[in-house]
Amino acid sequence: MGANTTLLITIWLEASLHEPMYYLLSLLSLLDMVLCLTVIPKVLAIFWFDLRSISFSVCFLQMFIINSFLTMESYMFMVTAYEHYSAICRPLQYPSIISDQFVARAVIFVVARNHLFFLPVPILSARLRYCAENIIKNCICTNLSVSKLSCDDITFNQLYQFVVGWTTLGSDLILIVLSYSFILKAVLRIKAKGAVAKALSTCGSHFILILFFSTVLLVLVITNKRILPDVPILLNILHHLIPPALNPIVYGVITKEIKQGIQKLL
């Protein structure tokens, strides 16, 4: 929370950072902060104070925010990968491709996509009859963890999450891999001394973080039934801790302009 807040304040106060690339970083930080505030306080309340109860409405609100904002973050990773591809592979066209209008269109698209695909997730779960036990085998209100408490058939819920997960997260991951493949191909042609190592170290750290984010999500979507029940819980918690902690460092602090902005702010 501290790292993401520092990044947001720096970009807000430093006029030289008022560019599309840094707007994308700001959006990523905002998504990280919302996800942290949605999940981690309740998790800490469970582990520290044994405050396990959660109301029906708050549980489904948490489910909606998790489903929406995680996929928004996946999409923002994809947009950021495309921004890096444009900067390295099409530098002369970069200002016309990555513009304020591009960022605005990206935000509109991701909000529309998430409402179209993920608003049905909590609605489908809320429409089920809950007449059995009321103990969720998780410390987060995920769709499948809550749906399993129902007396109704949840096959459609599981199928819907599986299809939507593959459609959105899978397509994002494929486009991210393609972007970094083109970047790798381009940087290997660079003849300047040290340029290849610098480009690979920067893009490599981005790609590893994105790969962790996407593969954990896909594992949770696909293998929910086939792994030990504690594993999805552990992955869920790590998934809400590691990317928000590392994103401002990997995307922000190692960027020269942001580092200078933070020093100026301090």
Side-chain angles (χ1 to χ4, degrees):
M1 289 297 294
N4 283 291
T5 302
T6 303
L7 190 64
L8 284 171
I9 292 172
T10 302
I11 293 172
W12 178 41
L13 294 179
E14 186 59 48
S16 63
L17 299 178
H18 293 175
E19 295 179 7
M21 171 187 171
Y22 303 110
Y23 296 152
L24 293 174
L25 294 182
S26 299
L27 290 169
L28 195 58
S29 288
L30 283 171
L31 293 173
D32 282 336
M33 292 173 73
V34 170
L35 282 169
C36 278
L37 291 173
T38 302
V39 172
I40 302 304
K42 183 59 185 175
V43 171
L44 292 177
I46 292 170
F47 290 143
W48 285 353
F49 308 112
D50 204 34
L51 299 174
R52 297 172 181 269
S53 63
I54 186 168
S55 69
F56 191 82
S57 56
V58 172
C59 184
F60 280 89
L61 177 62
Q62 187 185 69
M63 185 193 300
F64 174 70
I65 292 174
I66 290 170
N67 278 288
S68 297
F69 280 75
L70 277 176
T71 50
M72 283 187 195
E73 187 159 1
S74 171
Y75 177 75
M76 291 311 300
F77 278 136
M78 190 262 285
V79 173
T80 307
Y82 178 69
E83 185 270 333
H84 291 148
Y85 160 77
S86 301
I88 294 173
C89 300
R90 303 173 70 181
L92 298 179
Q93 297 167 299
Y94 178 85
S96 61
I97 297 172
I98 309 299
S99 60
D100 292 348
Q101 290 79 12
F102 171 82
V103 175
R105 285 196 295 268
V107 172
I108 292 169
F109 177 80
V110 71
V111 171
R113 186 184 80 161
N114 279 275
H115 278 79
L116 178 65
F117 285 107
F118 289 95
L119 188 58
V121 171
I123 293 175
L124 286 170
S125 295
R127 289 169 62 87
L128 297 171
R129 289 183 304 116
Y130 293 93
C131 53
E133 61 175 326
N134 60 354
I135 299 173
I136 302 170
K137 301 292 194 297
N138 205 327
C139 47
I140 300 173
C141 286
T142 62
N143 177 43
L144 293 179
S145 297
V146 174
S147 299
K148 285 176 181 176
L149 303 182
S150 171
C151 305
D152 295 333
D153 183 17
I154 62 168
T155 305
F156 181 75
N157 291 49
Q158 292 174 320
L159 182 63
Y160 183 84
Q161 178 163 318
F162 179 83
V163 172
V164 169
W166 265 113
T167 305
T168 56
L169 303 173
S171 61
D172 287 349
L173 184 57
I174 289 168
L175 292 171
I176 288 167
V177 171
L178 280 174
S179 295
Y180 281 106
S181 299
F182 287 126
I183 289 171
L184 180 62
K185 187 178 178 180
V187 297
L188 290 176
R189 295 177 186 160
I190 300 172
K191 304 298 182 184
K193 187 179 179 181
V196 173
K198 184 179 178 182
L200 288 177
S201 64
T202 302
C203 293
S205 57
H206 294 176
F207 186 68
I208 290 167
L209 184 59
I210 291 166
L211 204 61
F212 170 82
F213 178 89
S214 301
T215 49
V216 167
L217 273 183
L218 288 173
V219 165
L220 290 173
V221 168
I222 296 164
T223 62
N224 195 275
K225 283 185 172 181
R226 304 172 196 167
I227 50 181
L228 295 172
D230 289 342
V231 174
I233 299 172
L234 176 63
L235 289 176
N236 269 316
I237 299 301
L238 291 177
H239 199 249
H240 287 89
L241 281 173
I242 293 175
L246 295 182
N247 282 342
I249 299 170
V250 170
Y251 283 97
V253 176
I254 64 172
T255 306
K256 180 183 175 182
E257 291 78 9
I258 290 180
K259 192 185 295 183
Q260 291 174 344
I262 291 173
Q263 290 171 348
K264 187 175 177 182
L265 179 68
L266 295 174

